[in-house]
Amino acid sequence: MRFFFWCWSGEEQLYSGPDEDGRGSPFRVPRRGNYSNQCEDKPAQDCGCNTLHRHRAEEEEDEEGGENIQHPAHKYSERGNKEDILSKMVLLQGGWFLMGTDDPGIPQDGEGPQRRVWLNPFYIEEHEVTNLQFQLFTNITHHVTEAERFGDSFVFEGLLSEEVRSSLSHAVAAAPWWSPVKGADWRHPEGPDSSIVHRMDHPALHVSWADAQVYCEWAGRRLPSEAEWEFACRGGLQDRLYPWGNKLMPRGQHYANLFQGEFPSHNTAEDGFAQTSPVKKFPANAFGLYDMVGNVWEWTADWWSVHHTRDNAHNPKGPETGRDRVKKGGSYMCHKSYCYRYRCAARSQNTPDSSASNLGFRCAADSTP
Ligand SMILES: [Ca+2]
Ligand SMILES: [Ca+2]
Protein backbone atom coordinates (compact mmCIF):
# COMPACT_ATOMS: atom_id res chain seq x y z
CA MET A 1 0.00 0.00 0.00
CA ARG A 2 1.44 3.33 -0.97
CA PHE A 3 0.57 6.63 0.56
CA PHE A 4 0.42 9.94 -1.16
CA PHE A 5 0.38 13.37 0.30
CA TRP A 6 -0.76 16.70 -0.94
CA CYS A 7 0.38 20.08 0.12
CA TRP A 8 -0.55 23.56 -0.91
CA SER A 9 1.50 26.49 0.11
CA GLY A 10 0.46 29.71 -1.48
CA GLU A 11 2.36 29.89 -4.72
CA GLU A 12 4.29 26.78 -3.97
CA GLN A 13 2.76 23.44 -4.62
CA LEU A 14 4.82 21.06 -2.65
CA TYR A 15 3.23 17.94 -3.83
CA SER A 16 -0.04 17.22 -5.24
CA GLY A 17 -1.09 20.74 -5.56
CA PRO A 18 -4.75 20.89 -6.06
CA ASP A 19 -5.39 24.09 -7.65
CA GLU A 20 -6.34 23.66 -10.95
CA ASP A 21 -9.12 25.16 -12.44
CA GLY A 22 -8.95 26.52 -9.15
CA ARG A 23 -5.41 27.40 -8.63
CA GLY A 24 -2.84 25.30 -10.17
CA SER A 25 -2.99 21.74 -10.89
CA PRO A 26 -5.38 19.21 -9.65
CA PHE A 27 -2.64 17.14 -8.27
CA ARG A 28 0.98 16.63 -8.64
CA VAL A 29 1.80 13.21 -7.49
CA PRO A 30 5.35 12.06 -7.14
CA ARG A 31 5.61 8.99 -9.18
CA ARG A 32 6.55 6.22 -6.84
CA GLY A 33 8.89 5.51 -3.99
CA ASN A 34 9.60 7.30 -0.78
CA TYR A 35 7.18 10.07 -0.17
CA SER A 36 7.17 12.18 2.87
CA ASN A 37 4.93 14.96 3.84
CA GLN A 38 7.18 17.93 3.36
CA CYS A 39 4.62 20.12 5.03
CA GLU A 40 5.11 18.55 8.39
CA ASP A 41 7.82 20.99 9.37
CA LYS A 42 5.83 23.99 8.25
CA PRO A 43 3.08 25.70 10.18
CA ALA A 44 -0.24 24.43 8.98
CA GLN A 45 -1.57 27.94 8.49
CA ASP A 46 1.28 28.70 6.08
CA CYS A 47 0.93 25.56 4.15
CA GLY A 48 -2.76 25.03 4.10
CA CYS A 49 -1.37 21.63 4.30
CA ASN A 50 -3.46 18.55 4.41
CA THR A 51 -2.43 15.01 4.43
CA LEU A 52 -4.43 12.75 2.27
CA HIS A 53 -3.85 9.08 1.97
CA ARG A 54 -4.38 7.60 -1.38
CA HIS A 55 -4.53 3.86 -1.27
CA ARG A 56 -2.99 2.72 -4.45
CA ALA A 57 -3.26 -0.79 -5.70
CA GLU A 58 -0.28 -3.00 -5.04
CA GLU A 59 2.03 -3.46 -7.97
CA GLU A 60 0.98 -7.09 -8.23
CA GLU A 61 -2.58 -5.93 -8.55
CA ASP A 62 -1.48 -3.42 -11.13
CA GLU A 63 -0.23 -6.29 -13.23
CA GLU A 64 -3.58 -8.02 -12.95
CA GLY A 65 -5.28 -4.75 -13.70
CA GLY A 66 -3.22 -4.59 -16.84
CA GLU A 67 -4.82 -7.80 -17.95
CA ASN A 68 -8.28 -6.68 -17.01
CA ILE A 69 -8.19 -3.56 -19.03
CA GLN A 70 -7.98 -5.39 -22.31
CA HIS A 71 -11.72 -5.68 -22.02
CA PRO A 72 -13.74 -3.13 -23.80
CA ALA A 73 -16.12 -3.44 -26.56
CA HIS A 74 -13.63 -2.64 -29.20
CA LYS A 75 -15.38 -1.61 -32.31
CA TYR A 76 -12.18 -1.52 -34.25
CA SER A 77 -9.74 -4.26 -34.98
CA GLU A 78 -5.99 -4.14 -34.86
CA ARG A 79 -6.04 -3.92 -38.63
CA GLY A 80 -7.02 -0.28 -38.33
CA ASN A 81 -4.93 1.90 -40.59
CA LYS A 82 -2.85 4.28 -38.52
CA GLU A 83 -3.06 6.99 -41.14
CA ASP A 84 -6.83 6.87 -40.95
CA ILE A 85 -6.69 7.22 -37.20
CA LEU A 86 -4.36 10.14 -36.78
CA SER A 87 -5.46 13.74 -36.72
CA LYS A 88 -4.88 15.98 -39.66
CA MET A 89 -1.89 18.22 -39.04
CA VAL A 90 -1.54 21.86 -39.92
CA LEU A 91 1.81 23.20 -41.15
CA LEU A 92 2.84 26.37 -39.34
CA GLN A 93 5.62 28.44 -40.83
CA GLY A 94 7.13 29.60 -37.56
CA GLY A 95 9.38 32.64 -37.55
CA TRP A 96 9.58 35.28 -34.82
CA PHE A 97 6.72 35.77 -32.41
CA LEU A 98 6.11 37.29 -28.99
CA MET A 99 5.81 34.59 -26.33
CA GLY A 100 4.40 35.24 -22.87
CA THR A 101 3.02 38.54 -21.65
CA ASP A 102 4.06 41.62 -19.71
CA ASP A 103 0.55 41.85 -18.32
CA PRO A 104 0.23 38.46 -16.66
CA GLY A 105 -3.15 37.30 -15.44
CA ILE A 106 -1.40 35.04 -12.93
CA PRO A 107 2.15 36.37 -12.40
CA GLN A 108 3.27 33.47 -10.19
CA ASP A 109 2.76 31.11 -13.12
CA GLY A 110 5.69 32.66 -14.98
CA GLU A 111 3.59 34.07 -17.82
CA GLY A 112 6.14 36.82 -18.34
CA PRO A 113 8.17 38.52 -19.39
CA GLN A 114 7.16 38.81 -22.99
CA ARG A 115 10.08 37.71 -25.17
CA ARG A 116 10.89 37.23 -28.86
CA VAL A 117 11.04 33.61 -29.90
CA TRP A 118 12.02 32.10 -33.24
CA LEU A 119 10.49 28.83 -34.32
CA ASN A 120 11.32 26.65 -37.28
CA PRO A 121 8.34 25.43 -39.31
CA PHE A 122 6.44 22.62 -37.62
CA TYR A 123 3.22 20.68 -37.85
CA ILE A 124 0.58 20.45 -35.15
CA GLU A 125 -2.61 18.42 -34.94
CA GLU A 126 -5.73 20.43 -35.60
CA HIS A 127 -7.56 19.13 -32.54
CA GLU A 128 -7.05 17.36 -29.22
CA VAL A 129 -6.56 13.58 -29.42
CA THR A 130 -10.00 12.02 -29.11
CA ASN A 131 -11.31 8.97 -27.29
CA LEU A 132 -11.76 7.23 -30.63
CA GLN A 133 -8.18 7.87 -31.62
CA PHE A 134 -6.87 6.82 -28.23
CA GLN A 135 -8.99 3.68 -28.30
CA LEU A 136 -7.66 2.68 -31.69
CA PHE A 137 -4.12 3.35 -30.46
CA THR A 138 -4.60 1.12 -27.42
CA ASN A 139 -6.26 -1.57 -29.53
CA ILE A 140 -3.15 -1.73 -31.66
CA THR A 141 -0.47 -1.19 -29.05
CA HIS A 142 -2.18 -2.57 -25.91
CA HIS A 143 -0.83 0.44 -24.10
CA VAL A 144 -1.91 0.60 -20.46
CA THR A 145 -2.16 4.15 -19.15
CA GLU A 146 -0.65 5.24 -15.87
CA ALA A 147 -4.09 5.91 -14.38
CA GLU A 148 -4.99 2.29 -15.14
CA ARG A 149 -1.76 1.06 -13.56
CA PHE A 150 -2.17 3.21 -10.49
CA GLY A 151 -5.83 2.29 -10.23
CA ASP A 152 -7.21 5.79 -9.87
CA SER A 153 -7.24 9.29 -11.26
CA PHE A 154 -8.62 12.68 -10.35
CA VAL A 155 -12.16 13.67 -11.22
CA PHE A 156 -14.05 16.91 -10.72
CA GLU A 157 -16.52 15.99 -8.00
CA GLY A 158 -19.39 17.76 -9.65
CA LEU A 159 -19.33 15.10 -12.37
CA LEU A 160 -19.49 12.06 -10.11
CA SER A 161 -22.52 9.85 -9.67
CA GLU A 162 -24.03 9.60 -6.21
CA GLU A 163 -22.75 6.07 -5.95
CA VAL A 164 -19.15 7.00 -6.69
CA ARG A 165 -19.36 10.11 -4.52
CA SER A 166 -20.61 8.11 -1.57
CA SER A 167 -17.68 5.71 -1.93
CA LEU A 168 -15.06 8.43 -1.69
CA SER A 169 -12.95 8.50 1.39
CA HIS A 170 -11.42 11.89 0.82
CA ALA A 171 -11.00 14.79 -1.52
CA VAL A 172 -8.13 17.18 -2.00
CA ALA A 173 -8.51 19.46 0.97
CA ALA A 174 -7.26 22.66 -0.62
CA ALA A 175 -9.42 22.04 -3.67
CA PRO A 176 -12.28 19.86 -2.48
CA TRP A 177 -13.82 19.74 -5.93
CA TRP A 178 -11.10 17.28 -6.92
CA SER A 179 -11.38 13.70 -5.78
CA PRO A 180 -9.13 10.74 -6.47
CA VAL A 181 -11.53 8.17 -7.86
CA LYS A 182 -10.72 4.51 -7.93
CA GLY A 183 -11.27 3.05 -11.37
CA ALA A 184 -11.28 6.44 -13.12
CA ASP A 185 -9.34 6.24 -16.36
CA TRP A 186 -9.69 7.27 -19.98
CA ARG A 187 -12.37 4.65 -20.60
CA HIS A 188 -14.20 5.59 -17.40
CA PRO A 189 -13.78 9.34 -17.09
CA GLU A 190 -15.99 9.71 -14.00
CA GLY A 191 -15.20 6.35 -12.44
CA PRO A 192 -16.20 2.74 -12.99
CA ASP A 193 -19.88 3.46 -13.68
CA SER A 194 -19.10 5.88 -16.52
CA SER A 195 -18.04 5.27 -20.10
CA ILE A 196 -16.93 7.02 -23.26
CA VAL A 197 -19.40 5.26 -25.54
CA HIS A 198 -21.22 8.45 -26.39
CA ARG A 199 -18.09 10.59 -26.27
CA MET A 200 -15.84 9.06 -28.89
CA ASP A 201 -15.27 12.45 -30.50
CA HIS A 202 -14.43 14.11 -27.18
CA PRO A 203 -10.82 14.53 -26.05
CA ALA A 204 -9.21 11.58 -24.28
CA LEU A 205 -8.90 12.25 -20.53
CA HIS A 206 -6.86 10.79 -17.68
CA VAL A 207 -3.83 10.58 -19.95
CA SER A 208 -0.50 11.27 -18.27
CA TRP A 209 2.39 13.08 -19.94
CA ALA A 210 4.11 9.73 -20.35
CA ASP A 211 1.00 8.24 -21.98
CA ALA A 212 0.79 11.20 -24.32
CA GLN A 213 4.45 10.71 -25.21
CA VAL A 214 3.84 7.08 -26.11
CA TYR A 215 0.87 7.96 -28.29
CA CYS A 216 2.74 10.70 -30.16
CA GLU A 217 5.80 8.50 -30.68
CA TRP A 218 3.60 5.71 -31.98
CA ALA A 219 2.06 8.22 -34.35
CA GLY A 220 5.52 9.20 -35.62
CA ARG A 221 4.99 12.56 -33.96
CA ARG A 222 5.95 14.25 -30.70
CA LEU A 223 4.49 16.59 -28.13
CA PRO A 224 4.77 20.28 -29.04
CA SER A 225 7.20 22.44 -27.11
CA GLU A 226 5.51 25.09 -25.01
CA ALA A 227 6.70 27.72 -27.48
CA GLU A 228 5.23 25.81 -30.41
CA TRP A 229 1.96 25.32 -28.56
CA GLU A 230 1.72 29.02 -27.74
CA PHE A 231 2.63 30.04 -31.29
CA ALA A 232 -0.13 27.74 -32.52
CA CYS A 233 -2.58 29.15 -29.98
CA ARG A 234 -1.99 32.73 -31.06
CA GLY A 235 -3.05 32.04 -34.61
CA GLY A 236 -0.77 34.74 -36.01
CA LEU A 237 -2.18 37.48 -33.75
CA GLN A 238 0.31 39.48 -31.72
CA ASP A 239 -0.04 40.12 -27.99
CA ARG A 240 -3.66 39.06 -27.73
CA LEU A 241 -5.27 37.20 -24.86
CA TYR A 242 -7.11 34.52 -26.77
CA PRO A 243 -6.62 32.66 -30.05
CA TRP A 244 -9.23 34.93 -31.63
CA GLY A 245 -8.40 38.30 -30.04
CA ASN A 246 -8.90 40.16 -26.78
CA LYS A 247 -12.65 39.89 -26.35
CA LEU A 248 -13.80 36.71 -24.66
CA MET A 249 -17.13 36.56 -26.46
CA PRO A 250 -17.07 38.41 -29.78
CA ARG A 251 -20.61 39.23 -30.89
CA GLY A 252 -21.88 37.45 -27.78
CA GLN A 253 -20.67 34.09 -29.06
CA HIS A 254 -18.75 31.48 -27.12
CA TYR A 255 -15.40 30.70 -28.73
CA ALA A 256 -14.26 28.05 -26.28
CA ASN A 257 -15.62 25.44 -23.89
CA LEU A 258 -15.13 27.09 -20.48
CA PHE A 259 -17.04 27.27 -17.19
CA GLN A 260 -19.93 29.70 -16.78
CA GLY A 261 -21.70 30.26 -13.49
CA GLU A 262 -20.41 29.99 -9.94
CA PHE A 263 -17.35 27.83 -9.69
CA PRO A 264 -17.36 25.07 -8.58
CA SER A 265 -20.95 24.52 -7.50
CA HIS A 266 -23.07 25.83 -10.35
CA ASN A 267 -22.12 25.37 -13.98
CA THR A 268 -24.73 26.97 -16.21
CA ALA A 269 -23.08 25.44 -19.28
CA GLU A 270 -24.11 28.51 -21.22
CA ASP A 271 -21.64 27.49 -23.90
CA GLY A 272 -23.53 24.24 -24.35
CA PHE A 273 -21.25 21.95 -22.36
CA ALA A 274 -20.86 21.28 -18.66
CA GLN A 275 -18.11 18.79 -19.37
CA THR A 276 -15.89 18.17 -22.36
CA SER A 277 -17.25 18.90 -25.80
CA PRO A 278 -16.65 17.09 -29.07
CA VAL A 279 -13.50 18.44 -30.67
CA LYS A 280 -14.04 21.12 -33.31
CA LYS A 281 -17.32 22.31 -31.78
CA PHE A 282 -16.04 25.85 -31.34
CA PRO A 283 -14.53 28.07 -34.04
CA ALA A 284 -10.99 27.39 -35.20
CA ASN A 285 -8.36 30.10 -34.92
CA ALA A 286 -6.77 31.64 -37.99
CA PHE A 287 -4.38 28.68 -38.27
CA GLY A 288 -7.32 26.26 -38.47
CA LEU A 289 -6.68 24.88 -34.97
CA TYR A 290 -9.52 23.99 -32.61
CA ASP A 291 -9.95 24.18 -28.83
CA MET A 292 -6.48 25.60 -28.25
CA VAL A 293 -7.96 27.16 -25.15
CA GLY A 294 -10.69 25.41 -23.24
CA ASN A 295 -12.14 21.93 -23.54
CA VAL A 296 -9.09 20.19 -22.01
CA TRP A 297 -5.66 21.25 -20.87
CA GLU A 298 -2.93 20.02 -23.17
CA TRP A 299 0.45 18.59 -22.25
CA THR A 300 3.55 20.11 -23.80
CA ALA A 301 7.03 18.61 -23.97
CA ASP A 302 8.72 21.17 -21.71
CA TRP A 303 9.77 20.89 -18.10
CA TRP A 304 8.21 23.59 -15.92
CA SER A 305 9.96 26.73 -14.76
CA VAL A 306 8.57 30.13 -13.88
CA HIS A 307 11.84 31.89 -14.64
CA HIS A 308 12.26 33.39 -18.10
CA THR A 309 14.44 36.13 -19.51
CA ARG A 310 13.75 38.69 -22.20
CA ASP A 311 16.55 37.30 -24.32
CA ASN A 312 15.63 36.27 -27.81
CA ALA A 313 15.35 32.51 -28.09
CA HIS A 314 15.55 30.09 -31.00
CA ASN A 315 13.35 27.00 -30.81
CA PRO A 316 13.33 26.99 -26.99
CA LYS A 317 12.64 23.64 -25.36
CA GLY A 318 12.38 24.73 -21.72
CA PRO A 319 14.63 23.63 -18.85
CA GLU A 320 16.73 20.49 -19.28
CA THR A 321 15.33 18.90 -16.15
CA GLY A 322 12.49 19.46 -13.75
CA ARG A 323 9.76 17.88 -11.72
CA ASP A 324 6.69 19.01 -13.62
CA ARG A 325 5.73 19.31 -17.24
CA VAL A 326 4.01 22.35 -18.71
CA LYS A 327 0.37 22.18 -19.72
CA LYS A 328 -1.42 24.90 -21.67
CA GLY A 329 -4.82 26.23 -22.60
CA GLY A 330 -7.09 25.72 -19.61
CA SER A 331 -10.17 23.55 -19.68
CA TYR A 332 -13.95 23.33 -19.49
CA MET A 333 -13.46 23.90 -15.76
CA CYS A 334 -11.78 27.28 -16.14
CA HIS A 335 -13.61 30.29 -14.78
CA LYS A 336 -12.14 33.75 -14.47
CA SER A 337 -12.72 33.76 -10.71
CA TYR A 338 -10.69 30.63 -10.16
CA CYS A 339 -8.63 29.69 -13.14
CA TYR A 340 -8.04 32.54 -15.51
CA ARG A 341 -5.86 30.31 -17.58
CA TYR A 342 -7.77 30.07 -20.81
CA ARG A 343 -5.31 32.49 -22.42
CA CYS A 344 -2.47 31.71 -24.81
CA ALA A 345 0.19 33.04 -22.41
CA ALA A 346 -1.27 31.20 -19.42
CA ARG A 347 0.32 28.02 -18.20
CA SER A 348 0.25 25.47 -15.46
CA GLN A 349 1.99 22.26 -14.55
CA ASN A 350 1.66 18.70 -13.38
CA THR A 351 4.02 15.87 -12.59
CA PRO A 352 4.43 13.72 -15.70
CA ASP A 353 2.44 10.84 -14.21
CA SER A 354 -0.53 13.00 -13.25
CA SER A 355 -3.87 12.53 -14.89
CA ALA A 356 -7.25 14.13 -14.50
CA SER A 357 -10.68 14.57 -16.00
CA ASN A 358 -9.74 17.82 -17.71
CA LEU A 359 -6.28 17.09 -19.10
CA GLY A 360 -5.48 15.79 -22.59
CA PHE A 361 -3.03 16.49 -25.40
CA ARG A 362 -2.35 16.90 -29.10
CA CYS A 363 0.80 16.01 -31.04
CA ALA A 364 3.15 17.98 -33.23
CA ALA A 365 5.86 17.00 -35.73
CA ASP A 366 8.82 18.36 -37.63
CA SER A 367 7.54 16.90 -40.85
CA THR A 368 4.72 14.78 -42.12
CA PRO A 369 5.33 11.02 -41.93
CA1 LIG B 1 -18.61 24.74 -20.79
CA1 LIG C 1 -7.57 22.57 -25.30
Side-chain angles (χ1 to χ4, degrees), residues 127-128 203 229 257 290-298 328-332 358 360-362:
H127 60 74
E128 297 147 337
W229 192 98
N257 182 5
Y290 295 86
D291 301 302
M292 291 302 294
V293 298
N295 212 10
V296 289
W297 281 99
E298 299 172 30
K328 296 281 279 184
S331 81
Y332 66 92
N358 67 345
F361 70 106
R362 78 179 73 202

Coordinates of all heavy atoms in Angstrom, one line a residue, residues 127-128 203 229 257 290-298 328-332 358 360-362, ligand 2:
H127 N -6.7 19.2 -33.7 CA -7.6 19.1 -32.5 C -6.9 18.2 -31.5 O -6.0 17.5 -31.8 CB -9.0 18.7 -32.9 CG -9.1 17.3 -33.6 ND1 -8.9 16.2 -32.9 CD2 -9.3 17.0 -34.9 CE1 -9.1 15.1 -33.7 NE2 -9.3 15.6 -34.9
E128 N -7.5 18.2 -30.3 CA -7.0 17.4 -29.2 C -7.3 15.9 -29.6 O -8.2 15.6 -30.4 CB -7.9 17.7 -27.9 CG -7.7 19.1 -27.4 CD -8.9 19.7 -26.8 OE1 -10.0 19.2 -27.1 OE2 -8.8 20.7 -26.0
P203 N -12.2 14.8 -26.3 CA -10.8 14.5 -26.1 C -10.6 13.4 -25.0 O -11.4 13.3 -24.1 CB -10.3 15.9 -25.5 CG -11.5 16.6 -25.1 CD -12.6 16.2 -26.0
W229 N 3.4 25.3 -28.9 CA 2.0 25.3 -28.6 C 1.4 26.8 -28.5 O 0.3 27.0 -29.0 CB 1.8 24.6 -27.2 CG 0.3 24.3 -26.9 CD1 -0.4 23.1 -27.2 CD2 -0.7 25.3 -26.5 NE1 -1.7 23.3 -26.8 CE2 -1.9 24.6 -26.4 CE3 -0.6 26.6 -26.1 CZ2 -3.1 25.2 -26.0 CZ3 -1.8 27.2 -25.7 CH2 -3.0 26.5 -25.6
N257 N -14.9 26.2 -24.9 CA -15.6 25.4 -23.9 C -15.0 25.7 -22.5 O -14.0 25.2 -22.2 CB -15.6 23.9 -24.2 CG -16.4 23.2 -23.1 OD1 -17.1 23.7 -22.3 ND2 -16.4 21.8 -23.2
Y290 N -8.3 24.0 -33.5 CA -9.5 24.0 -32.6 C -9.2 23.8 -31.1 O -8.3 23.0 -30.8 CB -10.5 22.9 -33.0 CG -11.0 23.1 -34.4 CD1 -10.3 22.6 -35.5 CD2 -12.2 23.7 -34.7 CE1 -10.8 22.8 -36.8 CE2 -12.7 23.9 -35.9 CZ -12.0 23.4 -37.0 OH -12.5 23.6 -38.3
D291 N -10.0 24.4 -30.3 CA -10.0 24.2 -28.8 C -8.5 24.4 -28.3 O -8.1 23.7 -27.3 CB -10.4 22.8 -28.5 CG -11.9 22.5 -29.0 OD1 -12.8 23.2 -28.5 OD2 -12.1 21.5 -29.8
M292 N -7.8 25.3 -28.8 CA -6.5 25.6 -28.2 C -6.6 26.1 -26.8 O -5.8 25.7 -25.9 CB -5.7 26.6 -29.1 CG -5.3 26.1 -30.4 SD -4.2 24.7 -30.4 CE -2.7 25.2 -29.6
V293 N -7.6 26.9 -26.5 CA -8.0 27.2 -25.1 C -9.3 26.5 -24.9 O -10.1 26.4 -25.7 CB -8.0 28.7 -24.8 CG1 -6.7 29.3 -25.0 CG2 -9.1 29.4 -25.6
G294 N -9.5 26.1 -23.6 CA -10.7 25.4 -23.2 C -10.8 24.0 -23.7 O -9.8 23.4 -24.2
N295 N -11.9 23.4 -23.4 CA -12.1 21.9 -23.5 C -11.2 21.2 -22.6 O -11.6 21.0 -21.5 CB -12.0 21.5 -25.0 CG -13.0 20.3 -25.3 OD1 -13.9 20.0 -24.4 ND2 -12.9 19.7 -26.4
V296 N -10.0 20.8 -23.0 CA -9.1 20.2 -22.0 C -7.7 20.9 -22.1 O -7.3 21.4 -23.1 CB -8.9 18.7 -22.2 CG1 -10.2 17.9 -21.9 CG2 -8.4 18.3 -23.6
W297 N -7.1 20.9 -20.9 CA -5.7 21.3 -20.9 C -4.9 20.3 -21.8 O -5.3 19.2 -22.0 CB -5.1 21.1 -19.5 CG -5.4 22.1 -18.4 CD1 -6.4 22.0 -17.5 CD2 -4.7 23.3 -18.2 NE1 -6.4 23.2 -16.7 CE2 -5.4 24.0 -17.1 CE3 -3.7 23.9 -18.8 CZ2 -4.9 25.2 -16.6 CZ3 -3.2 25.2 -18.4 CH2 -3.9 25.8 -17.3
E298 N -3.7 20.8 -22.3 CA -2.9 20.0 -23.2 C -1.5 20.0 -22.7 O -0.9 21.0 -22.4 CB -3.0 20.6 -24.6 CG -4.5 20.6 -25.1 CD -4.6 21.3 -26.4 OE1 -3.7 21.4 -27.2 OE2 -5.7 21.8 -26.7
K328 N -1.0 23.6 -21.1 CA -1.4 24.9 -21.7 C -2.9 24.9 -22.0 O -3.5 23.8 -22.4 CB -0.6 25.3 -22.9 CG 0.9 25.5 -22.7 CD 1.2 26.8 -22.1 CE 1.2 27.9 -23.2 NZ 1.7 29.2 -22.6
G329 N -3.5 26.0 -22.0 CA -4.8 26.2 -22.6 C -6.0 26.2 -21.7 O -7.1 26.6 -22.2
G330 N -5.9 25.8 -20.5 CA -7.1 25.7 -19.6 C -8.1 24.7 -20.1 O -7.8 23.9 -21.0
S331 N -9.2 24.6 -19.4 CA -10.2 23.5 -19.7 C -11.6 24.0 -19.5 O -11.9 25.2 -19.1 CB -9.9 22.4 -18.8 OG -10.5 22.6 -17.5
Y332 N -12.5 23.1 -19.7 CA -13.9 23.3 -19.5 C -14.3 23.7 -18.0 O -15.4 24.1 -17.7 CB -14.8 22.1 -19.9 CG -14.6 20.9 -19.0 CD1 -15.4 20.7 -17.9 CD2 -13.5 20.0 -19.3 CE1 -15.2 19.5 -17.1 CE2 -13.3 18.9 -18.5 CZ -14.1 18.7 -17.4 OH -13.9 17.6 -16.6
N358 N -9.7 16.6 -16.9 CA -9.7 17.8 -17.7 C -8.4 18.0 -18.4 O -8.1 19.2 -18.8 CB -10.1 19.1 -16.9 CG -9.1 19.4 -15.9 OD1 -8.2 18.6 -15.6 ND2 -9.1 20.6 -15.4
G360 N -5.7 16.6 -21.4 CA -5.5 15.8 -22.6 C -4.2 16.3 -23.3 O -3.3 16.8 -22.7
F361 N -4.2 16.1 -24.6 CA -3.0 16.5 -25.4 C -3.3 16.5 -26.9 O -4.4 16.0 -27.3 CB -1.9 15.5 -25.1 CG -2.1 14.1 -25.7 CD1 -1.4 13.7 -26.8 CD2 -3.0 13.2 -25.1 CE1 -1.6 12.4 -27.3 CE2 -3.2 12.0 -25.6 CZ -2.5 11.6 -26.7
R362 N -2.4 17.1 -27.6 CA -2.3 16.9 -29.1 C -0.9 16.8 -29.5 O 0.0 17.2 -28.7 CB -3.0 18.1 -29.8 CG -2.3 19.3 -29.9 CD -3.0 20.4 -30.7 NE -4.1 20.9 -29.9 CZ -5.2 21.6 -30.4 NH1 -5.3 21.7 -31.7 NH2 -6.1 22.0 -29.6
Ligands
CA2 CA -7.6 22.6 -25.3

